[in-house]
Amino acid sequence: MKWFVGVLLLLNVGLYLWATGHKNTQVAATRPVVNAAGMRLLLEQPASPDVASTRVCYRIGPFIEELGSAAAQERLQAMSVPYKALKVNKREVRAYRVFLGPYGSPAEIEAQRGLLRKNGVNEHYVKSEPGGEDVISLGLFSQQARADEFREELSTKSIQAKTRPENRILGPTFWLELRGIEPKPAVMTALRESRWQDDKARLRVFPCS
């Protein structure tokens, strides 16, 4: 009777091991260890130092008139967005103009403007020069490299433009700086899509100092 009970016990143990998928420990030890770090969920990954250290700040502007800045401040106050009003005084800057000409007659200018439109260059205007002749201005850039790139882009359309430096006096401008805030997505969307009183004013991103 005892041997019969022993056989049943062995059969039950064998059935349990088969049902639970138990493997021989010596066979399991020969398999490579799973990369635990690689199996972590995305939210469990440690924060990247680069991402953590990258911070951005926001500005709204430029406003040419102080009245436009004041209207924007009222809107930010209504949205409970903290800000700091800034004024940049009048200053002289170096700019780089991309242009065609000069031309001696209106007929020459109109013929060239027709070629520009035919090539999809619609943003241009006629600028009178101090000597009495006119040029066709195609763009004004704050960086010479960007002006040269635009000139080379035009050359692919058989438009042989020129570049020249110009000193320009910029009047005072007004800005609203948003610092040290973590705005909600809905607020950021509203700021990006807002139409301010000055057409040139918009939400701009810059690295925090």
Side-chain angles (χ1 to χ4, degrees):
M1 188 65 179
K2 291 183 179 180
W3 66 267
F4 180 73
V5 174
V7 170
L8 288 178
L9 181 61
L10 290 175
L11 289 175
N12 288 333
V13 172
L15 181 62
Y16 172 78
L17 295 178
W18 174 81
T20 57
H22 183 77
K23 305 286 185 177
N24 186 289
T25 55
Q26 293 181 351
V27 175
T30 61
R31 294 188 177 184
V33 179
V34 175
N35 182 359
M39 295 293 289
R40 292 176 182 168
L41 295 176
L42 181 60
L43 295 178
E44 296 175 336
Q45 294 288 353
S48 169
D50 294 336
V51 174
S53 62
T54 300
R55 297 178 57 248
V56 295
C57 292
Y58 305 90
R59 289 192 186 112
I60 299 175
F63 297 95
I64 305 303
E65 301 291 339
E66 191 169 7
L67 184 61
S69 174
Q73 291 180 51
E74 292 181 0
R75 189 181 304 183
L76 293 178
Q77 291 170 6
M79 299 171 67
S80 299
V81 176
Y83 66 89
K84 179 180 179 182
L86 301 175
K87 178 182 178 180
V88 178
N89 294 324
K90 181 175 68 174
R91 63 201 186 281
E92 184 177 22
V93 298
R94 173 64 63 92
Y96 301 88
R97 186 179 300 278
V98 180
F99 68 100
L100 294 170
Y103 298 98
S105 68
E108 287 183 295
I109 293 176
E110 288 306 313
Q112 183 60 65
R113 296 188 72 182
L115 293 174
L116 290 173
R117 297 189 190 98
K118 185 178 180 180
N119 284 278
V121 183
N122 297 313
E123 295 185 5
H124 60 268
Y125 65 93
V126 178
K127 180 179 182 298
S128 298
E129 298 288 88
E133 295 180 314
D134 294 332
V135 299
I136 299 177
S137 179
L138 302 174
L140 192 65
F141 300 87
S142 60
Q143 299 178 0
Q144 184 175 3
R146 183 65 188 92
D148 291 340
E149 288 176 4
F150 183 55
R151 179 173 54 82
E152 293 175 3
E153 179 183 336
L154 292 172
S155 68
T156 63
K157 302 179 180 181
S158 300
I159 301 173
Q160 304 305 318
K162 308 171 186 176
T163 61
R164 72 184 182 194
E166 296 182 2
N167 291 328
R168 298 175 59 84
I169 302 296
L170 297 183
T173 55
F174 303 89
W175 296 80
L176 301 177
E177 192 166 283
L178 318 179
R179 281 184 173 269
I181 63 170
E182 293 296 337
K184 297 178 180 179
V187 175
M188 292 303 300
T189 299
L191 292 176
R192 291 190 186 96
E193 297 178 353
S194 291
R195 296 179 63 88
W196 309 99
Q197 188 165 324
D198 195 307
D199 292 338
K200 295 182 180 179
R202 64 178 185 271
L203 183 68
R204 302 170 189 269
V205 180
F206 69 99
C208 297
S209 57

